[in-house]
Amino acid sequence: MNVTLAVKQYVSKMIENSGPGMKVLLMDKETTSIVSVVYTQSEILQKEVYLFERIDSQNRDSMKHLKAICFLRPTKENVENLIQELRRPKYSVYFIYFSNVISKSEIKALAEADEQEVVAEVQEFYGDFVALNPHLFSLNLQGVSRGRSWEPSILPRATQGLTSVLLALKKCPMIRYQLSSDMSKRLAECVKQIITKEYELFDFRKTEVPPLLLILDRSDDAITPLLNQWTYQAMVHELLGLNNNRIDLSRVPGISKDLREVVLSAENDEFYANNLYLNFGEIGTNIKNLMEDFQKKKPKGQQKLESISDMKAFVDNYPQFKKMSGTVSKHVTVVGELSRLVSERCLMEVSEVEQELACQNDHSNAQQVRFLPLQTLTVTMCGVSTASYPRGVDRSDLITPTDAVAITKQFFKGLKGVENVYAQHQPLLHETLDQLIKGKLKDSQFPYLGPNALRDRPQDIIVFMIGGATYEEALTVYNLNRTMPGVRIVLGGTTIHNTKRLGPQ
Amino acid sequence: MATRRLTDAFLLMRNNAIQNRQILAEQLADDRMALVSGISLDPEAAIGVTKRLSPKWVEGVDEIQYEITRIRQKMKDLASLHDKHMNRPTLDDSSEEEHAIEITTQEITQMFHRCQRSVTGLQSRCARCTAQEERLLRNVVSSLAQSLQELSTNFRHTQSNYLKRMKNREERSKHFFDSGPLMEEDEDIALYDRGFTEDQLVMVEQNTVMVEQREKEIRQIVQSISDLNEIFRDLAGMVVEQGTVLDRIDFNVEQACVKTEDGLKQLQKAEQYQKKNRKMLVILILFVIVVVLILILFATKFK
């Protein structure tokens, strides 16, 4: 249940299949992101893949000494481009991999175009999603809904993405969806349809407890993406915007040219991997430690390489040092920018208010409307001190816990006291998953698709959030994975939200 | 990680398509036409074959890769030699092995030098190739440099480990030698009872020889390390730092696209300039002709 690893394996297998020799990797726009989040260029260069090209770029030179590995989504344009390519092959051999199920007729069209017999391999490798973290994937789809139903062009893509995740993880799941949302029902049906249609693909070794696919709708919990986040990854996304693990820092005042754009990937950045889920305060201390460590390792003046032992020490430490200096400057810049934004936008105060509002409401569906002003509040609060927040204006309206359980829960929470005022809010997903794992999730709210129902506690769970997941939920899933033995959860969404991206939805 | 192989289906369809084409061709024309058309197709295929010749530098890449595998092999040999040398129970008759170690170390250092030279040479090989080929070459160079760098780091580690172990052993043996000088001092005092036997003298001599040998070995290793130091610095410039945005595939692909677009724009601009220039030239020529004609006109009129 590791999506990053799954995609990585697909890519390595593609490269392995093509044998030794210099290779070029032909991709389309989406597969470029899919490959780049799991592999760095230097890693892939080591496997003799020396050139990366887009299939739709026009003026590619003919290089017959290269083998081409094509990793493409099975879209019409790609097939069209590929046909053109095969008519006039630019490389010696073609290994074609589609990221999803492709129709027979398109294969036939390709076969007819291959007059010079340059194609050596045609396969389906189901890596049709962007694996951001080992347990988090995204499809990078914006504007999925029209009113309360699917945007017609998006639904097939979402279905393809989700089925490819299932295939990549080798799961043939039972499906549960959220009853209150038409969209999740539609998606569930579409996925089921694909599973029945391609039954021989989904014929995996049966596990004792079948895996579970839970399809949820963002509209069920619209609060989570609105709140300010205080863990590293989520904060970066909220304030700077993470795009396939890249951040654009060009708007930061006084940025050096090397740091215009940086990559935050847990795969090859140890510091980030360790601090991904820690909160802002802890990161501050860790950054300090990192700096101190760095100062210690720093060679004292590059010129002082007189004796052999100096030289030796320098060479021994140099690669580490260089890597570290890159990491340090990157994270110091990022954290510096974060803290600048925090103080500029008074995010501490804003967040406190937000948390208060969000937690006391306890997620009653009927109260969702109340949270629309939250966003405006966030904006207007900027520069305004907390004192001006109209305390008690609609308080009585806001606090209307729906049932007795909620009231007692809140009561206990009040008794225990809050550990961290900025992180009291738990996304609804936590509760849902908790109930699901304990087998208490109500069938009336989250019915099964089809007649069968799961008797035991689920072990492998894939959660898909229509309308986008958030990094706060990713954190929740990460914590659940860690604390619950025997349960493995993967979270996915049509996109990964922050407040800005939620706006247009 | 499920996959599905469609190659067989594809090949079947391809064969069918080829057969269909042939049948169609036969139906369309008589034998001679078919033959002629076949011939007319041939030159193109021939061109295809000639194009297959890869640029010269590709051979260089193969050579370097071969060299790298050889370095790897040699390093393995060296490691086993080191082990043997260190774990040997007795301290005598070591010269042969030491010699072998020396030679292998030197060989490896030379190979590193050679590789490094050819990698740098490779960079300048691309005198008149297209932008894409340049990109390809740059990637190749950086990947080779990276693997070379890794190897050299490994090599350095084994060398310094060996050095450390040697030093340790020396210290241990010093322990043993410490009694040596002491005994010599004793010699002065105990001159008249002729305490030092012949055997002991021989042993002391042997020990000094051995210490000198160790010295030599250590000096050699240090030498090779400092040699590598240089290589390392050279290579560091060629390797793209891992984990930066420069190491992202999508970034590089985007950059390539941007560059191509830029190039296209520049080309269009240049074309425009050229066109404008041509127009100006025509206007100028016409103007000159008109002036000349007027002059001629005046000349003929007022004669």
Side-chain angles (χ1 to χ4, degrees), chain A residues 10 41-42 50 53 61 114 121 124 168 244 305 308 311 315, chain B residues 1-2 4-5 7 14 130 132 135 139 222 229 233 247-248 252:
Chain A
Y10 273 135
Q41 179 158 319
S42 49
Y50 291 131
E53 292 287 353
D61 301 334
D114 183 23
E121 197 79 55
E124 286 170 2
N244 292 338
L305 288 179
I308 297 281
M311 209 184 277
V315 171
Chain B
M1 225 189 77
R4 180 156 64 178
R5 218 174 116 94
T7 315
R14 186 168 74 185
T130 57
Q132 237 168 41
R135 203 142 49 85
N139 282 342
V222 167
N229 181 20
R233 283 189 172 189
D247 202 17
R248 281 279 291 217
N252 285 306

PDB file of all heavy atoms in Angstrom, chain A residues 10 41-42 50 53 61 114 121 124 168 244 305 308 311 315, chain B residues 1-2 4-5 7 14 130 132 135 139 222 229 233 247-248 252:
ATOM      1  N   TYR A  10       6.801   0.748 -11.592  1.00  0.00           N
ATOM      2  CA  TYR A  10       6.360   0.755 -12.985  1.00  0.00           C
ATOM      3  C   TYR A  10       7.431   1.365 -13.874  1.00  0.00           C
ATOM      4  O   TYR A  10       7.793   0.821 -14.912  1.00  0.00           O
ATOM      5  CB  TYR A  10       5.075   1.576 -13.133  1.00  0.00           C
ATOM      6  CG  TYR A  10       3.803   0.813 -12.887  1.00  0.00           C
ATOM      7  CD1 TYR A  10       2.794   1.337 -12.116  1.00  0.00           C
ATOM      8  CD2 TYR A  10       3.615  -0.434 -13.468  1.00  0.00           C
ATOM      9  CE1 TYR A  10       1.612   0.651 -11.891  1.00  0.00           C
ATOM     10  CE2 TYR A  10       2.436  -1.132 -13.257  1.00  0.00           C
ATOM     11  CZ  TYR A  10       1.452  -0.582 -12.464  1.00  0.00           C
ATOM     12  OH  TYR A  10       0.296  -1.262 -12.253  1.00  0.00           O
ATOM     13  N   GLN A  41      15.818  13.388 -11.887  1.00  0.00           N
ATOM     14  CA  GLN A  41      16.492  13.206 -13.158  1.00  0.00           C
ATOM     15  C   GLN A  41      17.791  12.418 -12.986  1.00  0.00           C
ATOM     16  O   GLN A  41      18.098  11.531 -13.774  1.00  0.00           O
ATOM     17  CB  GLN A  41      16.770  14.566 -13.781  1.00  0.00           C
ATOM     18  CG  GLN A  41      17.487  14.433 -15.082  1.00  0.00           C
ATOM     19  CD  GLN A  41      17.319  15.648 -15.956  1.00  0.00           C
ATOM     20  OE1 GLN A  41      16.248  16.209 -16.046  1.00  0.00           O
ATOM     21  NE2 GLN A  41      18.377  16.055 -16.601  1.00  0.00           N
ATOM     22  N   SER A  42      18.537  12.736 -11.930  1.00  0.00           N
ATOM     23  CA  SER A  42      19.833  12.064 -11.802  1.00  0.00           C
ATOM     24  C   SER A  42      19.648  10.567 -11.542  1.00  0.00           C
ATOM     25  O   SER A  42      20.456   9.759 -11.991  1.00  0.00           O
ATOM     26  CB  SER A  42      20.668  12.706 -10.714  1.00  0.00           C
ATOM     27  OG  SER A  42      19.940  12.867  -9.546  1.00  0.00           O
ATOM     28  N   TYR A  50      18.638   9.164 -21.142  1.00  0.00           N
ATOM     29  CA  TYR A  50      19.391  10.406 -21.191  1.00  0.00           C
ATOM     30  C   TYR A  50      18.607  11.585 -21.745  1.00  0.00           C
ATOM     31  O   TYR A  50      19.096  12.695 -21.768  1.00  0.00           O
ATOM     32  CB  TYR A  50      20.650  10.215 -22.030  1.00  0.00           C
ATOM     33  CG  TYR A  50      21.659   9.312 -21.381  1.00  0.00           C
ATOM     34  CD1 TYR A  50      22.244   8.265 -22.074  1.00  0.00           C
ATOM     35  CD2 TYR A  50      22.036   9.515 -20.062  1.00  0.00           C
ATOM     36  CE1 TYR A  50      23.172   7.440 -21.476  1.00  0.00           C
ATOM     37  CE2 TYR A  50      22.960   8.694 -19.453  1.00  0.00           C
ATOM     38  CZ  TYR A  50      23.530   7.656 -20.169  1.00  0.00           C
ATOM     39  OH  TYR A  50      24.440   6.853 -19.559  1.00  0.00           O
ATOM     40  N   GLU A  53      11.445  13.866 -23.417  1.00  0.00           N
ATOM     41  CA  GLU A  53      10.751  14.672 -24.418  1.00  0.00           C
ATOM     42  C   GLU A  53       9.252  14.538 -24.248  1.00  0.00           C
ATOM     43  O   GLU A  53       8.746  13.531 -23.758  1.00  0.00           O
ATOM     44  CB  GLU A  53      11.123  14.197 -25.829  1.00  0.00           C
ATOM     45  CG  GLU A  53      12.551  14.465 -26.218  1.00  0.00           C
ATOM     46  CD  GLU A  53      12.824  15.926 -26.507  1.00  0.00           C
ATOM     47  OE1 GLU A  53      11.854  16.726 -26.535  1.00  0.00           O
ATOM     48  OE2 GLU A  53      13.997  16.264 -26.705  1.00  0.00           O
ATOM     49  N   ASP A  61      14.519  16.130 -33.050  1.00  0.00           N
ATOM     50  CA  ASP A  61      15.429  15.642 -34.084  1.00  0.00           C
ATOM     51  C   ASP A  61      15.329  14.136 -34.185  1.00  0.00           C
ATOM     52  O   ASP A  61      14.938  13.470 -33.251  1.00  0.00           O
ATOM     53  CB  ASP A  61      16.884  15.982 -33.726  1.00  0.00           C
ATOM     54  CG  ASP A  61      17.059  17.465 -33.567  1.00  0.00           C
ATOM     55  OD1 ASP A  61      16.273  18.188 -34.184  1.00  0.00           O
ATOM     56  OD2 ASP A  61      17.953  17.870 -32.814  1.00  0.00           O
ATOM     57  N   ASP A 114       2.326   1.536 -37.954  1.00  0.00           N
ATOM     58  CA  ASP A 114       3.698   1.081 -37.737  1.00  0.00           C
ATOM     59  C   ASP A 114       4.225   0.350 -38.966  1.00  0.00           C
ATOM     60  O   ASP A 114       4.474  -0.851 -38.937  1.00  0.00           O
ATOM     61  CB  ASP A 114       3.729   0.188 -36.488  1.00  0.00           C
ATOM     62  CG  ASP A 114       5.127  -0.256 -36.147  1.00  0.00           C
ATOM     63  OD1 ASP A 114       6.082   0.416 -36.558  1.00  0.00           O
ATOM     64  OD2 ASP A 114       5.259  -1.284 -35.460  1.00  0.00           O
ATOM     65  N   GLU A 121       7.221  -3.275 -28.165  1.00  0.00           N
ATOM     66  CA  GLU A 121       6.465  -3.647 -26.973  1.00  0.00           C
ATOM     67  C   GLU A 121       5.283  -2.697 -26.820  1.00  0.00           C
ATOM     68  O   GLU A 121       5.432  -1.492 -27.010  1.00  0.00           O
ATOM     69  CB  GLU A 121       7.388  -3.529 -25.754  1.00  0.00           C
ATOM     70  CG  GLU A 121       6.942  -4.219 -24.502  1.00  0.00           C
ATOM     71  CD  GLU A 121       7.216  -5.708 -24.516  1.00  0.00           C
ATOM     72  OE1 GLU A 121       8.361  -6.121 -24.731  1.00  0.00           O
ATOM     73  OE2 GLU A 121       6.249  -6.447 -24.298  1.00  0.00           O
ATOM     74  N   GLU A 124       0.213  -2.098 -20.924  1.00  0.00           N
ATOM     75  CA  GLU A 124      -0.506  -1.174 -20.049  1.00  0.00           C
ATOM     76  C   GLU A 124       0.141  -1.217 -18.675  1.00  0.00           C
ATOM     77  O   GLU A 124       0.219  -2.278 -18.052  1.00  0.00           O
ATOM     78  CB  GLU A 124      -1.979  -1.585 -19.947  1.00  0.00           C
ATOM     79  CG  GLU A 124      -2.765  -1.260 -21.193  1.00  0.00           C
ATOM     80  CD  GLU A 124      -4.160  -1.874 -21.183  1.00  0.00           C
ATOM     81  OE1 GLU A 124      -4.515  -2.517 -20.178  1.00  0.00           O
ATOM     82  OE2 GLU A 124      -4.864  -1.721 -22.180  1.00  0.00           O
ATOM     83  N   ALA A 168      -2.634  -0.592  -9.570  1.00  0.00           N
ATOM     84  CA  ALA A 168      -1.239  -0.456  -9.172  1.00  0.00           C
ATOM     85  C   ALA A 168      -1.002  -1.083  -7.809  1.00  0.00           C
ATOM     86  O   ALA A 168       0.048  -1.655  -7.548  1.00  0.00           O
ATOM     87  CB  ALA A 168      -0.839   1.014  -9.148  1.00  0.00           C
ATOM     88  N   ASN A 244       2.834  19.545  -7.275  1.00  0.00           N
ATOM     89  CA  ASN A 244       3.604  18.313  -7.505  1.00  0.00           C
ATOM     90  C   ASN A 244       4.923  18.340  -6.744  1.00  0.00           C
ATOM     91  O   ASN A 244       5.982  18.067  -7.292  1.00  0.00           O
ATOM     92  CB  ASN A 244       3.902  18.102  -8.987  1.00  0.00           C
ATOM     93  CG  ASN A 244       2.659  17.808  -9.767  1.00  0.00           C
ATOM     94  OD1 ASN A 244       1.659  17.363  -9.206  1.00  0.00           O
ATOM     95  ND2 ASN A 244       2.689  18.041 -11.060  1.00  0.00           N
ATOM     96  N   LEU A 305      43.709  24.369   2.836  1.00  0.00           N
ATOM     97  CA  LEU A 305      43.877  22.957   2.506  1.00  0.00           C
ATOM     98  C   LEU A 305      45.358  22.682   2.288  1.00  0.00           C
ATOM     99  O   LEU A 305      45.790  22.330   1.205  1.00  0.00           O
ATOM    100  CB  LEU A 305      43.096  22.633   1.244  1.00  0.00           C
ATOM    101  CG  LEU A 305      41.591  22.611   1.393  1.00  0.00           C
ATOM    102  CD1 LEU A 305      40.943  22.297   0.060  1.00  0.00           C
ATOM    103  CD2 LEU A 305      41.175  21.575   2.409  1.00  0.00           C
ATOM    104  N   ILE A 308      47.920  17.260   3.871  1.00  0.00           N
ATOM    105  CA  ILE A 308      47.188  16.171   3.236  1.00  0.00           C
ATOM    106  C   ILE A 308      45.952  15.799   4.043  1.00  0.00           C
ATOM    107  O   ILE A 308      44.889  15.533   3.493  1.00  0.00           O
ATOM    108  CB  ILE A 308      48.107  14.938   3.116  1.00  0.00           C
ATOM    109  CG1 ILE A 308      49.292  15.252   2.229  1.00  0.00           C
ATOM    110  CG2 ILE A 308      47.349  13.744   2.602  1.00  0.00           C
ATOM    111  CD1 ILE A 308      49.027  15.227   0.773  1.00  0.00           C
ATOM    112  N   MET A 311      43.139  18.039   3.351  1.00  0.00           N
ATOM    113  CA  MET A 311      42.578  17.743   2.046  1.00  0.00           C
ATOM    114  C   MET A 311      41.669  16.535   2.111  1.00  0.00           C
ATOM    115  O   MET A 311      40.583  16.509   1.566  1.00  0.00           O
ATOM    116  CB  MET A 311      43.746  17.467   1.102  1.00  0.00           C
ATOM    117  CG  MET A 311      43.477  17.797  -0.329  1.00  0.00           C
ATOM    118  SD  MET A 311      44.866  17.312  -1.288  1.00  0.00           S
ATOM    119  CE  MET A 311      45.945  18.683  -1.098  1.00  0.00           C
ATOM    120  N   VAL A 315      37.694  16.351   1.300  1.00  0.00           N
ATOM    121  CA  VAL A 315      37.101  15.517   0.263  1.00  0.00           C
ATOM    122  C   VAL A 315      36.093  14.547   0.859  1.00  0.00           C
ATOM    123  O   VAL A 315      35.046  14.279   0.277  1.00  0.00           O
ATOM    124  CB  VAL A 315      38.193  14.764  -0.510  1.00  0.00           C
ATOM    125  CG1 VAL A 315      37.585  13.737  -1.427  1.00  0.00           C
ATOM    126  CG2 VAL A 315      39.011  15.741  -1.296  1.00  0.00           C
TER     127      VAL A 315
ATOM    128  N   MET B   1       0.987  -4.043  -8.454  1.00  0.00           N
ATOM    129  CA  MET B   1       1.580  -3.565  -9.684  1.00  0.00           C
ATOM    130  C   MET B   1       1.123  -4.417 -10.865  1.00  0.00           C
ATOM    131  O   MET B   1       1.887  -5.191 -11.402  1.00  0.00           O
ATOM    132  CB  MET B   1       3.099  -3.627  -9.550  1.00  0.00           C
ATOM    133  CG  MET B   1       3.770  -2.396 -10.051  1.00  0.00           C
ATOM    134  SD  MET B   1       5.529  -2.638 -10.122  1.00  0.00           S
ATOM    135  CE  MET B   1       5.727  -3.615 -11.576  1.00  0.00           C
ATOM    136  N   ALA B   2      -0.126  -4.256 -11.181  1.00  0.00           N
ATOM    137  CA  ALA B   2      -0.654  -5.060 -12.284  1.00  0.00           C
ATOM    138  C   ALA B   2      -0.233  -4.464 -13.618  1.00  0.00           C
ATOM    139  O   ALA B   2      -0.082  -3.259 -13.749  1.00  0.00           O
ATOM    140  CB  ALA B   2      -2.180  -5.082 -12.188  1.00  0.00           C
ATOM    141  N   ARG B   4      -0.553  -5.239 -18.146  1.00  0.00           N
ATOM    142  CA  ARG B   4      -1.158  -6.092 -19.170  1.00  0.00           C
ATOM    143  C   ARG B   4      -0.344  -5.946 -20.440  1.00  0.00           C
ATOM    144  O   ARG B   4      -0.027  -4.843 -20.853  1.00  0.00           O
ATOM    145  CB  ARG B   4      -2.604  -5.684 -19.418  1.00  0.00           C
ATOM    146  CG  ARG B   4      -3.240  -6.576 -20.482  1.00  0.00           C
ATOM    147  CD  ARG B   4      -4.718  -6.626 -20.360  1.00  0.00           C
ATOM    148  NE  ARG B   4      -5.327  -5.314 -20.589  1.00  0.00           N
ATOM    149  CZ  ARG B   4      -6.645  -5.134 -20.572  1.00  0.00           C
ATOM    150  NH1 ARG B   4      -7.463  -6.125 -20.299  1.00  0.00           N
ATOM    151  NH2 ARG B   4      -7.139  -3.949 -20.793  1.00  0.00           N
ATOM    152  N   ARG B   5      -0.001  -7.074 -21.009  1.00  0.00           N
ATOM    153  CA  ARG B   5       0.823  -7.060 -22.207  1.00  0.00           C
ATOM    154  C   ARG B   5      -0.066  -7.114 -23.432  1.00  0.00           C
ATOM    155  O   ARG B   5      -0.891  -8.005 -23.574  1.00  0.00           O
ATOM    156  CB  ARG B   5       1.731  -8.286 -22.193  1.00  0.00           C
ATOM    157  CG  ARG B   5       3.114  -8.038 -22.718  1.00  0.00           C
ATOM    158  CD  ARG B   5       3.904  -9.299 -22.502  1.00  0.00           C
ATOM    159  NE  ARG B   5       4.286  -9.817 -23.811  1.00  0.00           N
ATOM    160  CZ  ARG B   5       5.449  -9.533 -24.385  1.00  0.00           C
ATOM    161  NH1 ARG B   5       6.318  -8.782 -23.785  1.00  0.00           N
ATOM    162  NH2 ARG B   5       5.734 -10.023 -25.566  1.00  0.00           N
ATOM    163  N   THR B   7       1.422  -6.659 -26.498  1.00  0.00           N
ATOM    164  CA  THR B   7       2.364  -6.748 -27.618  1.00  0.00           C
ATOM    165  C   THR B   7       1.916  -7.776 -28.652  1.00  0.00           C
ATOM    166  O   THR B   7       1.965  -7.523 -29.855  1.00  0.00           O
ATOM    167  CB  THR B   7       3.754  -7.129 -27.099  1.00  0.00           C
ATOM    168  OG1 THR B   7       4.021  -6.348 -25.949  1.00  0.00           O
ATOM    169  CG2 THR B   7       4.811  -6.860 -28.135  1.00  0.00           C
ATOM    170  N   ARG B  14      -0.374  -5.824 -36.624  1.00  0.00           N
ATOM    171  CA  ARG B  14       0.596  -5.216 -37.525  1.00  0.00           C
ATOM    172  C   ARG B  14       0.833  -6.122 -38.738  1.00  0.00           C
ATOM    173  O   ARG B  14       0.844  -5.665 -39.872  1.00  0.00           O
ATOM    174  CB  ARG B  14       1.905  -4.972 -36.782  1.00  0.00           C
ATOM    175  CG  ARG B  14       2.908  -4.214 -37.610  1.00  0.00           C
ATOM    176  CD  ARG B  14       4.051  -3.746 -36.777  1.00  0.00           C
ATOM    177  NE  ARG B  14       4.931  -4.841 -36.425  1.00  0.00           N
ATOM    178  CZ  ARG B  14       5.973  -4.704 -35.603  1.00  0.00           C
ATOM    179  NH1 ARG B  14       6.208  -3.550 -35.023  1.00  0.00           N
ATOM    180  NH2 ARG B  14       6.750  -5.730 -35.330  1.00  0.00           N
ATOM    181  N   THR B 130      22.828  19.768 -32.842  1.00  0.00           N
ATOM    182  CA  THR B 130      21.626  20.534 -32.543  1.00  0.00           C
ATOM    183  C   THR B 130      21.459  20.700 -31.047  1.00  0.00           C
ATOM    184  O   THR B 130      22.144  20.068 -30.259  1.00  0.00           O
ATOM    185  CB  THR B 130      20.405  19.808 -33.099  1.00  0.00           C
ATOM    186  OG1 THR B 130      20.414  18.507 -32.522  1.00  0.00           O
ATOM    187  CG2 THR B 130      20.463  19.706 -34.593  1.00  0.00           C
ATOM    188  N   GLN B 132      19.132  19.729 -29.248  1.00  0.00           N
ATOM    189  CA  GLN B 132      18.670  18.533 -28.560  1.00  0.00           C
ATOM    190  C   GLN B 132      19.813  17.580 -28.271  1.00  0.00           C
ATOM    191  O   GLN B 132      19.905  17.012 -27.199  1.00  0.00           O
ATOM    192  CB  GLN B 132      17.668  17.829 -29.452  1.00  0.00           C
ATOM    193  CG  GLN B 132      16.373  17.656 -28.734  1.00  0.00           C
ATOM    194  CD  GLN B 132      15.333  17.239 -29.697  1.00  0.00           C
ATOM    195  OE1 GLN B 132      15.574  16.431 -30.576  1.00  0.00           O
ATOM    196  NE2 GLN B 132      14.179  17.784 -29.544  1.00  0.00           N
ATOM    197  N   ARG B 135      21.651  18.696 -25.379  1.00  0.00           N
ATOM    198  CA  ARG B 135      20.970  18.349 -24.133  1.00  0.00           C
ATOM    199  C   ARG B 135      21.266  16.894 -23.769  1.00  0.00           C
ATOM    200  O   ARG B 135      21.580  16.567 -22.621  1.00  0.00           O
ATOM    201  CB  ARG B 135      19.466  18.547 -24.327  1.00  0.00           C
ATOM    202  CG  ARG B 135      18.692  18.770 -23.095  1.00  0.00           C
ATOM    203  CD  ARG B 135      17.581  19.798 -23.316  1.00  0.00           C
ATOM    204  NE  ARG B 135      16.766  19.550 -24.487  1.00  0.00           N
ATOM    205  CZ  ARG B 135      15.710  18.734 -24.504  1.00  0.00           C
ATOM    206  NH1 ARG B 135      15.356  18.087 -23.423  1.00  0.00           N
ATOM    207  NH2 ARG B 135      15.006  18.569 -25.590  1.00  0.00           N
ATOM    208  N   ASN B 139      23.276  15.510 -20.487  1.00  0.00           N
ATOM    209  CA  ASN B 139      22.733  14.521 -19.557  1.00  0.00           C
ATOM    210  C   ASN B 139      23.660  13.329 -19.419  1.00  0.00           C
ATOM    211  O   ASN B 139      23.878  12.819 -18.317  1.00  0.00           O
ATOM    212  CB  ASN B 139      21.361  14.051 -20.024  1.00  0.00           C
ATOM    213  CG  ASN B 139      20.292  15.062 -19.700  1.00  0.00           C
ATOM    214  OD1 ASN B 139      20.494  15.927 -18.855  1.00  0.00           O
ATOM    215  ND2 ASN B 139      19.169  14.963 -20.373  1.00  0.00           N
ATOM    216  N   VAL B 222      48.247   8.080   0.782  1.00  0.00           N
ATOM    217  CA  VAL B 222      47.941   9.502   0.899  1.00  0.00           C
ATOM    218  C   VAL B 222      48.065  10.169  -0.460  1.00  0.00           C
ATOM    219  O   VAL B 222      47.240  10.994  -0.848  1.00  0.00           O
ATOM    220  CB  VAL B 222      48.879  10.145   1.936  1.00  0.00           C
ATOM    221  CG1 VAL B 222      48.801  11.655   1.837  1.00  0.00           C
ATOM    222  CG2 VAL B 222      48.511   9.709   3.323  1.00  0.00           C
ATOM    223  N   ASN B 229      41.428  13.646  -4.989  1.00  0.00           N
ATOM    224  CA  ASN B 229      40.867  14.920  -4.577  1.00  0.00           C
ATOM    225  C   ASN B 229      40.654  15.827  -5.788  1.00  0.00           C
ATOM    226  O   ASN B 229      39.596  16.433  -5.962  1.00  0.00           O
ATOM    227  CB  ASN B 229      41.849  15.540  -3.587  1.00  0.00           C
ATOM    228  CG  ASN B 229      41.359  16.845  -3.066  1.00  0.00           C
ATOM    229  OD1 ASN B 229      40.172  17.122  -3.143  1.00  0.00           O
ATOM    230  ND2 ASN B 229      42.253  17.652  -2.546  1.00  0.00           N
ATOM    231  N   ARG B 233      37.092  17.235  -7.506  1.00  0.00           N
ATOM    232  CA  ARG B 233      36.698  18.634  -7.679  1.00  0.00           C
ATOM    233  C   ARG B 233      36.249  18.905  -9.104  1.00  0.00           C
ATOM    234  O   ARG B 233      35.305  19.646  -9.341  1.00  0.00           O
ATOM    235  CB  ARG B 233      37.871  19.526  -7.356  1.00  0.00           C
ATOM    236  CG  ARG B 233      38.101  19.672  -5.896  1.00  0.00           C
ATOM    237  CD  ARG B 233      39.112  20.723  -5.679  1.00  0.00           C
ATOM    238  NE  ARG B 233      39.211  21.020  -4.278  1.00  0.00           N
ATOM    239  CZ  ARG B 233      39.903  22.040  -3.822  1.00  0.00           C
ATOM    240  NH1 ARG B 233      40.542  22.821  -4.653  1.00  0.00           N
ATOM    241  NH2 ARG B 233      39.959  22.266  -2.536  1.00  0.00           N
ATOM    242  N   ASP B 247      16.992  19.129 -10.890  1.00  0.00           N
ATOM    243  CA  ASP B 247      16.999  17.678 -10.975  1.00  0.00           C
ATOM    244  C   ASP B 247      15.595  17.125 -11.197  1.00  0.00           C
ATOM    245  O   ASP B 247      15.364  15.935 -11.079  1.00  0.00           O
ATOM    246  CB  ASP B 247      17.596  17.125  -9.678  1.00  0.00           C
ATOM    247  CG  ASP B 247      18.130  15.727  -9.848  1.00  0.00           C
ATOM    248  OD1 ASP B 247      18.331  15.330 -11.004  1.00  0.00           O
ATOM    249  OD2 ASP B 247      18.324  15.032  -8.847  1.00  0.00           O
ATOM    250  N   ARG B 248      14.657  18.024 -11.500  1.00  0.00           N
ATOM    251  CA  ARG B 248      13.297  17.557 -11.745  1.00  0.00           C
ATOM    252  C   ARG B 248      13.120  17.330 -13.237  1.00  0.00           C
ATOM    253  O   ARG B 248      13.512  18.160 -14.057  1.00  0.00           O
ATOM    254  CB  ARG B 248      12.288  18.617 -11.290  1.00  0.00           C
ATOM    255  CG  ARG B 248      12.085  18.619  -9.810  1.00  0.00           C
ATOM    256  CD  ARG B 248      11.134  17.547  -9.381  1.00  0.00           C
ATOM    257  NE  ARG B 248       9.786  17.799  -9.815  1.00  0.00           N
ATOM    258  CZ  ARG B 248       8.724  17.502  -9.082  1.00  0.00           C
ATOM    259  NH1 ARG B 248       8.841  16.951  -7.914  1.00  0.00           N
ATOM    260  NH2 ARG B 248       7.524  17.732  -9.546  1.00  0.00           N
ATOM    261  N   ASN B 252      12.925  20.291 -16.393  1.00  0.00           N
ATOM    262  CA  ASN B 252      13.801  20.270 -17.555  1.00  0.00           C
ATOM    263  C   ASN B 252      13.027  20.191 -18.860  1.00  0.00           C
ATOM    264  O   ASN B 252      13.388  20.833 -19.845  1.00  0.00           O
ATOM    265  CB  ASN B 252      14.781  19.105 -17.463  1.00  0.00           C
ATOM    266  CG  ASN B 252      15.858  19.388 -16.461  1.00  0.00           C
ATOM    267  OD1 ASN B 252      16.516  20.403 -16.543  1.00  0.00           O
ATOM    268  ND2 ASN B 252      16.025  18.529 -15.479  1.00  0.00           N
TER     269      ASN B 252
END
